[in-house]
Amino acid sequence: VLAKTEQVTVTVKKIEGYGESGDAYTFKATSGKRYMVYNAGGSQPISGEVLIMKAEKNKQPICLKLAADPSQPRMVDAVRAGLCK
């Protein structure tokens, strides 16, 4: 059974930095929820990742496509500018 990909519109409050392993970092949304981005320490950025940094500065909403892996809740697969459709 393929899990449905979840999309969520967020406004980035603060990029929190890399975890202990250095291959992923977290950011917090204005909703208070924390999201994680795996990018292999910067060598494999996800689609649209640069938008997270822009969104932190300009407070514009972005659309996160979340991984459908229940063991990794709120793991971001891709980012799009603007509201989710």
Side-chain angles (χ1 to χ4, degrees):
V1 178
L2 239 63
K4 184 179 168 287
T5 302
E6 193 182 339
Q7 292 191 113
V8 62
T9 299
V10 301
T11 303
V12 178
K13 184 175 182 180
K14 181 177 191 296
I15 294 173
E16 298 177 314
Y18 283 85
E20 287 175 30
S21 62
D23 59 3
Y25 64 90
T26 59
F27 66 90
K28 206 166 195 175
T30 53
S31 65
K33 289 184 177 171
R34 181 171 284 120
Y35 296 90
M36 188 156 80
V37 176
Y38 177 81
N39 73 352
S43 66
Q44 292 178 316
I46 61 167
S47 173
E49 185 178 324
V50 69
L51 295 170
I52 297 169
M53 282 156 220
K54 284 184 185 168
E56 182 188 32
K57 289 189 183 96
N58 65 23
K59 301 301 175 206
Q60 293 296 310
I62 53 175
C63 178
L64 305 178
K65 184 178 154 201
L66 302 179
D69 183 351
S71 70
Q72 297 282 1
R74 296 204 282 275
M75 173 69 83
V76 180
D77 257 358
V79 185
R80 261 195 353 253
L83 305 173
C84 296
K85 291 183 171 78

